[in-house]
mmCIF file of all heavy atoms in Angstrom:
data_model
loop_
_atom_site.group_PDB
_atom_site.id
_atom_site.type_symbol
_atom_site.label_atom_id
_atom_site.label_comp_id
_atom_site.label_asym_id
_atom_site.label_seq_id
_atom_site.Cartn_x
_atom_site.Cartn_y
_atom_site.Cartn_z
ATOM 1 N N HIS A 1 -265.743 -155.699 -49.999
ATOM 2 C CA HIS A 1 -264.989 -154.468 -49.703
ATOM 3 C C HIS A 1 -265.543 -153.803 -48.443
ATOM 4 O O HIS A 1 -264.794 -153.440 -47.536
ATOM 5 C CB HIS A 1 -265.088 -153.518 -50.907
ATOM 6 C CG HIS A 1 -264.335 -152.250 -50.736
ATOM 7 N ND1 HIS A 1 -262.971 -152.165 -50.961
ATOM 8 C CD2 HIS A 1 -264.726 -151.015 -50.348
ATOM 9 C CE1 HIS A 1 -262.566 -150.932 -50.720
ATOM 10 N NE2 HIS A 1 -263.613 -150.211 -50.347
ATOM 11 N N VAL A 2 -266.857 -153.659 -48.388
ATOM 12 C CA VAL A 2 -267.509 -152.996 -47.259
ATOM 13 C C VAL A 2 -267.581 -153.924 -46.047
ATOM 14 O O VAL A 2 -267.237 -153.529 -44.924
ATOM 15 C CB VAL A 2 -268.927 -152.508 -47.661
ATOM 16 C CG1 VAL A 2 -269.677 -151.965 -46.463
ATOM 17 C CG2 VAL A 2 -268.828 -151.471 -48.764
ATOM 18 N N ALA A 3 -268.023 -155.155 -46.269
ATOM 19 C CA ALA A 3 -268.227 -156.085 -45.152
ATOM 20 C C ALA A 3 -266.911 -156.428 -44.448
ATOM 21 O O ALA A 3 -266.867 -156.510 -43.218
ATOM 22 C CB ALA A 3 -268.904 -157.356 -45.645
ATOM 23 N N GLY A 4 -265.845 -156.619 -45.213
ATOM 24 C CA GLY A 4 -264.555 -156.930 -44.611
ATOM 25 C C GLY A 4 -264.074 -155.802 -43.712
ATOM 26 O O GLY A 4 -263.674 -156.027 -42.564
ATOM 27 N N PHE A 5 -264.126 -154.580 -44.224
ATOM 28 C CA PHE A 5 -263.692 -153.423 -43.429
ATOM 29 C C PHE A 5 -264.556 -153.286 -42.181
ATOM 30 O O PHE A 5 -264.047 -153.065 -41.079
ATOM 31 C CB PHE A 5 -263.751 -152.140 -44.261
ATOM 32 C CG PHE A 5 -263.136 -150.963 -43.577
ATOM 33 C CD1 PHE A 5 -261.796 -150.667 -43.748
ATOM 34 C CD2 PHE A 5 -263.889 -150.144 -42.737
ATOM 35 C CE1 PHE A 5 -261.215 -149.572 -43.110
ATOM 36 C CE2 PHE A 5 -263.327 -149.059 -42.092
ATOM 37 C CZ PHE A 5 -261.977 -148.779 -42.279
ATOM 38 N N ALA A 6 -265.873 -153.422 -42.352
ATOM 39 C CA ALA A 6 -266.794 -153.280 -41.216
ATOM 40 C C ALA A 6 -266.517 -154.336 -40.145
ATOM 41 O O ALA A 6 -266.514 -154.028 -38.949
ATOM 42 C CB ALA A 6 -268.241 -153.376 -41.693
ATOM 43 N N LEU A 7 -266.275 -155.577 -40.566
ATOM 44 C CA LEU A 7 -265.972 -156.635 -39.604
ATOM 45 C C LEU A 7 -264.681 -156.334 -38.860
ATOM 46 O O LEU A 7 -264.617 -156.451 -37.632
ATOM 47 C CB LEU A 7 -265.875 -157.992 -40.310
ATOM 48 C CG LEU A 7 -265.513 -159.184 -39.422
ATOM 49 C CD1 LEU A 7 -266.544 -159.386 -38.316
ATOM 50 C CD2 LEU A 7 -265.368 -160.440 -40.284
ATOM 51 N N GLY A 8 -263.663 -155.908 -39.572
ATOM 52 C CA GLY A 8 -262.398 -155.580 -38.925
ATOM 53 C C GLY A 8 -262.527 -154.421 -37.952
ATOM 54 O O GLY A 8 -262.054 -154.487 -36.815
ATOM 55 N N ALA A 9 -263.194 -153.366 -38.392
ATOM 56 C CA ALA A 9 -263.352 -152.196 -37.525
ATOM 57 C C ALA A 9 -264.220 -152.521 -36.310
ATOM 58 O O ALA A 9 -263.897 -152.128 -35.177
ATOM 59 C CB ALA A 9 -263.952 -151.036 -38.324
ATOM 60 N N ALA A 10 -265.302 -153.248 -36.538
ATOM 61 C CA ALA A 10 -266.216 -153.576 -35.432
ATOM 62 C C ALA A 10 -265.525 -154.428 -34.380
ATOM 63 O O ALA A 10 -265.668 -154.174 -33.175
ATOM 64 C CB ALA A 10 -267.455 -154.286 -35.956
ATOM 65 N N THR A 11 -264.775 -155.425 -34.803
ATOM 66 C CA THR A 11 -264.099 -156.269 -33.813
ATOM 67 C C THR A 11 -262.996 -155.496 -33.101
ATOM 68 O O THR A 11 -262.810 -155.661 -31.896
ATOM 69 C CB THR A 11 -263.560 -157.576 -34.441
ATOM 70 O OG1 THR A 11 -262.696 -157.273 -35.538
ATOM 71 C CG2 THR A 11 -264.714 -158.458 -34.899
ATOM 72 N N ALA A 12 -262.308 -154.630 -33.809
ATOM 73 C CA ALA A 12 -261.263 -153.822 -33.161
ATOM 74 C C ALA A 12 -261.878 -152.831 -32.166
ATOM 75 O O ALA A 12 -261.284 -152.549 -31.125
ATOM 76 C CB ALA A 12 -260.427 -153.092 -34.202
ATOM 77 N N LEU A 13 -263.071 -152.314 -32.481
ATOM 78 C CA LEU A 13 -263.756 -151.424 -31.543
ATOM 79 C C LEU A 13 -264.122 -152.153 -30.252
ATOM 80 O O LEU A 13 -264.227 -151.541 -29.191
ATOM 81 C CB LEU A 13 -265.011 -150.824 -32.176
ATOM 82 C CG LEU A 13 -264.770 -149.693 -33.168
ATOM 83 C CD1 LEU A 13 -266.048 -149.382 -33.949
ATOM 84 C CD2 LEU A 13 -264.243 -148.451 -32.455
ATOM 85 N N MET A 14 -264.304 -153.468 -30.338
ATOM 86 C CA MET A 14 -264.592 -154.279 -29.158
ATOM 87 C C MET A 14 -263.329 -154.528 -28.330
ATOM 88 O O MET A 14 -263.421 -155.015 -27.210
ATOM 89 C CB MET A 14 -265.188 -155.625 -29.578
ATOM 90 C CG MET A 14 -266.559 -155.519 -30.209
ATOM 91 S SD MET A 14 -267.110 -157.100 -30.900
ATOM 92 C CE MET A 14 -267.198 -158.126 -29.428
ATOM 93 N N GLY A 15 -262.171 -154.207 -28.896
ATOM 94 C CA GLY A 15 -260.906 -154.379 -28.195
ATOM 95 C C GLY A 15 -259.940 -155.255 -28.981
ATOM 96 O O GLY A 15 -260.324 -155.973 -29.903
ATOM 97 N N GLU A 16 -258.672 -155.170 -28.590
ATOM 98 C CA GLU A 16 -257.631 -155.938 -29.283
ATOM 99 C C GLU A 16 -257.924 -157.431 -29.295
ATOM 100 O O GLU A 16 -257.737 -158.107 -30.308
ATOM 101 C CB GLU A 16 -256.275 -155.724 -28.604
ATOM 102 C CG GLU A 16 -255.644 -154.401 -28.862
ATOM 103 C CD GLU A 16 -254.335 -154.246 -28.104
ATOM 104 O OE1 GLU A 16 -253.632 -155.265 -27.899
ATOM 105 O OE2 GLU A 16 -254.024 -153.110 -27.714
ATOM 106 N N LYS A 17 -258.369 -157.951 -28.159
ATOM 107 C CA LYS A 17 -258.609 -159.393 -28.077
ATOM 108 C C LYS A 17 -259.732 -159.810 -29.021
ATOM 109 O O LYS A 17 -259.672 -160.881 -29.631
ATOM 110 C CB LYS A 17 -258.892 -159.815 -26.640
ATOM 111 C CG LYS A 17 -257.647 -159.677 -25.784
ATOM 112 C CD LYS A 17 -257.854 -160.072 -24.361
ATOM 113 C CE LYS A 17 -256.540 -159.798 -23.632
ATOM 114 N NZ LYS A 17 -256.426 -160.397 -22.367
ATOM 115 N N ALA A 18 -260.732 -158.975 -29.187
ATOM 116 C CA ALA A 18 -261.810 -159.277 -30.127
ATOM 117 C C ALA A 18 -261.302 -159.221 -31.565
ATOM 118 O O ALA A 18 -261.716 -160.033 -32.403
ATOM 119 C CB ALA A 18 -262.975 -158.312 -29.933
ATOM 120 N N ALA A 19 -260.421 -158.272 -31.859
ATOM 121 C CA ALA A 19 -259.830 -158.212 -33.199
ATOM 122 C C ALA A 19 -259.064 -159.505 -33.484
ATOM 123 O O ALA A 19 -259.185 -160.087 -34.568
ATOM 124 C CB ALA A 19 -258.910 -157.001 -33.323
ATOM 125 N N PHE A 20 -258.298 -159.968 -32.498
ATOM 126 C CA PHE A 20 -257.556 -161.208 -32.688
ATOM 127 C C PHE A 20 -258.496 -162.418 -32.709
ATOM 128 O O PHE A 20 -258.229 -163.402 -33.405
ATOM 129 C CB PHE A 20 -256.459 -161.346 -31.638
ATOM 130 C CG PHE A 20 -255.304 -160.409 -31.865
ATOM 131 C CD1 PHE A 20 -254.979 -159.433 -30.934
ATOM 132 C CD2 PHE A 20 -254.550 -160.485 -33.020
ATOM 133 C CE1 PHE A 20 -253.926 -158.556 -31.147
ATOM 134 C CE2 PHE A 20 -253.491 -159.611 -33.258
ATOM 135 C CZ PHE A 20 -253.173 -158.645 -32.319
ATOM 136 N N ALA A 21 -259.602 -162.351 -31.993
ATOM 137 C CA ALA A 21 -260.595 -163.429 -32.037
ATOM 138 C C ALA A 21 -261.190 -163.538 -33.439
ATOM 139 O O ALA A 21 -261.453 -164.644 -33.924
ATOM 140 C CB ALA A 21 -261.694 -163.176 -31.005
ATOM 141 N N CYS A 22 -261.396 -162.413 -34.085
ATOM 142 C CA CYS A 22 -261.880 -162.400 -35.460
ATOM 143 C C CYS A 22 -260.905 -163.152 -36.361
ATOM 144 O O CYS A 22 -261.309 -163.998 -37.162
ATOM 145 C CB CYS A 22 -262.063 -160.957 -35.930
ATOM 146 S SG CYS A 22 -262.533 -160.779 -37.658
ATOM 147 N N THR A 23 -259.623 -162.866 -36.196
ATOM 148 C CA THR A 23 -258.604 -163.531 -37.009
ATOM 149 C C THR A 23 -258.595 -165.032 -36.752
ATOM 150 O O THR A 23 -258.531 -165.830 -37.683
ATOM 151 C CB THR A 23 -257.215 -162.912 -36.753
ATOM 152 O OG1 THR A 23 -257.257 -161.533 -37.130
ATOM 153 C CG2 THR A 23 -256.132 -163.624 -37.536
ATOM 154 N N VAL A 24 -258.675 -165.430 -35.491
ATOM 155 C CA VAL A 24 -258.695 -166.861 -35.167
ATOM 156 C C VAL A 24 -259.872 -167.540 -35.866
ATOM 157 O O VAL A 24 -259.713 -168.611 -36.477
ATOM 158 C CB VAL A 24 -258.757 -167.084 -33.636
ATOM 159 C CG1 VAL A 24 -259.084 -168.539 -33.308
ATOM 160 C CG2 VAL A 24 -257.442 -166.682 -32.986
ATOM 161 N N ALA A 25 -261.036 -166.940 -35.796
ATOM 162 C CA ALA A 25 -262.233 -167.539 -36.398
ATOM 163 C C ALA A 25 -262.098 -167.644 -37.918
ATOM 164 O O ALA A 25 -262.364 -168.697 -38.503
ATOM 165 C CB ALA A 25 -263.469 -166.727 -36.012
ATOM 166 N N VAL A 26 -261.690 -166.549 -38.544
ATOM 167 C CA VAL A 26 -261.549 -166.556 -40.005
ATOM 168 C C VAL A 26 -260.512 -167.595 -40.422
ATOM 169 O O VAL A 26 -260.751 -168.395 -41.333
ATOM 170 C CB VAL A 26 -261.160 -165.156 -40.532
ATOM 171 C CG1 VAL A 26 -260.754 -165.219 -41.998
ATOM 172 C CG2 VAL A 26 -262.302 -164.167 -40.334
ATOM 173 N N GLU A 27 -259.371 -167.594 -39.755
ATOM 174 C CA GLU A 27 -258.296 -168.505 -40.162
ATOM 175 C C GLU A 27 -258.648 -169.967 -39.904
ATOM 176 O O GLU A 27 -258.179 -170.845 -40.627
ATOM 177 C CB GLU A 27 -256.973 -168.135 -39.488
ATOM 178 C CG GLU A 27 -256.479 -166.736 -39.783
ATOM 179 C CD GLU A 27 -256.217 -166.408 -41.252
ATOM 180 O OE1 GLU A 27 -256.613 -167.178 -42.156
ATOM 181 O OE2 GLU A 27 -255.614 -165.367 -41.506
ATOM 182 N N SER A 28 -259.478 -170.245 -38.921
ATOM 183 C CA SER A 28 -259.945 -171.623 -38.697
ATOM 184 C C SER A 28 -260.731 -172.118 -39.906
ATOM 185 O O SER A 28 -260.544 -173.244 -40.370
ATOM 186 C CB SER A 28 -260.827 -171.702 -37.453
ATOM 187 O OG SER A 28 -260.095 -171.417 -36.305
ATOM 188 N N VAL A 29 -261.598 -171.257 -40.417
ATOM 189 C CA VAL A 29 -262.398 -171.615 -41.583
ATOM 190 C C VAL A 29 -261.515 -171.725 -42.827
ATOM 191 O O VAL A 29 -261.673 -172.655 -43.632
ATOM 192 C CB VAL A 29 -263.536 -170.590 -41.793
ATOM 193 C CG1 VAL A 29 -264.267 -170.821 -43.114
ATOM 194 C CG2 VAL A 29 -264.508 -170.636 -40.626
ATOM 195 N N ILE A 30 -260.568 -170.806 -42.975
ATOM 196 C CA ILE A 30 -259.697 -170.829 -44.148
ATOM 197 C C ILE A 30 -258.832 -172.080 -44.153
ATOM 198 O O ILE A 30 -258.585 -172.672 -45.210
ATOM 199 C CB ILE A 30 -258.829 -169.551 -44.214
ATOM 200 C CG1 ILE A 30 -259.724 -168.321 -44.394
ATOM 201 C CG2 ILE A 30 -257.793 -169.633 -45.329
ATOM 202 C CD1 ILE A 30 -260.683 -168.385 -45.556
ATOM 203 N N ASP A 31 -258.376 -172.512 -42.989
ATOM 204 C CA ASP A 31 -257.585 -173.735 -42.915
ATOM 205 C C ASP A 31 -258.384 -174.919 -43.460
ATOM 206 O O ASP A 31 -257.886 -175.693 -44.288
ATOM 207 C CB ASP A 31 -257.142 -173.997 -41.474
ATOM 208 C CG ASP A 31 -256.263 -175.224 -41.365
ATOM 209 O OD1 ASP A 31 -255.164 -175.227 -41.950
ATOM 210 O OD2 ASP A 31 -256.687 -176.194 -40.708
ATOM 211 N N GLU A 32 -259.629 -175.050 -43.033
ATOM 212 C CA GLU A 32 -260.503 -176.124 -43.537
ATOM 213 C C GLU A 32 -260.722 -175.987 -45.042
ATOM 214 O O GLU A 32 -260.690 -176.978 -45.781
ATOM 215 C CB GLU A 32 -261.863 -176.065 -42.841
ATOM 216 C CG GLU A 32 -261.853 -176.323 -41.360
ATOM 217 C CD GLU A 32 -263.176 -175.934 -40.690
ATOM 218 O OE1 GLU A 32 -264.135 -175.525 -41.393
ATOM 219 O OE2 GLU A 32 -263.238 -176.034 -39.448
ATOM 220 N N HIS A 33 -260.948 -174.765 -45.479
ATOM 221 C CA HIS A 33 -261.224 -174.482 -46.886
ATOM 222 C C HIS A 33 -260.032 -174.854 -47.768
ATOM 223 O O HIS A 33 -260.178 -175.553 -48.771
ATOM 224 C CB HIS A 33 -261.573 -172.992 -47.027
ATOM 225 C CG HIS A 33 -261.648 -172.505 -48.428
ATOM 226 N ND1 HIS A 33 -262.668 -172.849 -49.284
ATOM 227 C CD2 HIS A 33 -260.813 -171.696 -49.124
ATOM 228 C CE1 HIS A 33 -262.464 -172.265 -50.456
ATOM 229 N NE2 HIS A 33 -261.355 -171.567 -50.376
ATOM 230 N N TYR A 34 -258.843 -174.398 -47.389
ATOM 231 C CA TYR A 34 -257.643 -174.712 -48.172
ATOM 232 C C TYR A 34 -257.348 -176.210 -48.147
ATOM 233 O O TYR A 34 -256.928 -176.777 -49.156
ATOM 234 C CB TYR A 34 -256.438 -173.921 -47.661
ATOM 235 C CG TYR A 34 -256.319 -172.510 -48.210
ATOM 236 C CD1 TYR A 34 -255.577 -171.557 -47.532
ATOM 237 C CD2 TYR A 34 -256.915 -172.132 -49.404
ATOM 238 C CE1 TYR A 34 -255.429 -170.259 -48.028
ATOM 239 C CE2 TYR A 34 -256.779 -170.841 -49.897
ATOM 240 C CZ TYR A 34 -256.033 -169.915 -49.214
ATOM 241 O OH TYR A 34 -255.884 -168.647 -49.711
ATOM 242 N N ALA A 35 -257.556 -176.872 -47.015
ATOM 243 C CA ALA A 35 -257.324 -178.319 -46.936
ATOM 244 C C ALA A 35 -258.256 -179.055 -47.904
ATOM 245 O O ALA A 35 -257.830 -179.984 -48.603
ATOM 246 C CB ALA A 35 -257.535 -178.815 -45.503
ATOM 247 N N ALA A 36 -259.514 -178.648 -47.958
ATOM 248 C CA ALA A 36 -260.470 -179.284 -48.874
ATOM 249 C C ALA A 36 -260.076 -179.050 -50.329
ATOM 250 O O ALA A 36 -260.187 -179.953 -51.171
ATOM 251 C CB ALA A 36 -261.879 -178.753 -48.608
ATOM 252 N N GLN A 37 -259.595 -177.854 -50.629
ATOM 253 C CA GLN A 37 -259.150 -177.573 -51.998
ATOM 254 C C GLN A 37 -257.962 -178.452 -52.380
ATOM 255 O O GLN A 37 -257.925 -178.999 -53.478
ATOM 256 C CB GLN A 37 -258.766 -176.098 -52.150
ATOM 257 C CG GLN A 37 -259.935 -175.174 -52.245
ATOM 258 C CD GLN A 37 -259.504 -173.753 -52.538
ATOM 259 O OE1 GLN A 37 -258.378 -173.347 -52.265
ATOM 260 N NE2 GLN A 37 -260.418 -172.979 -53.095
#
């Protein structure tokens, strides 16, 4: 709950591109994770 919000806010504070970079990174890992499942 805390870590997710902090990560989102921190990356957005770095700028829009950093917020979207966060999404790219998370979704890359999730793609691998779901494929393995």
Side-chain angles (χ1 to χ4, degrees):
H1 181 82
V2 173
F5 188 91
L7 178 60
T11 56
L13 283 168
M14 293 172 63
E16 286 177 32
K17 291 180 183 195
F20 287 118
C22 175
T23 299
V24 168
V26 169
E27 301 300 12
S28 294
V29 172
I30 296 306
D31 183 63
E32 296 167 4
H33 170 71
Y34 276 159
Q37 284 186 336

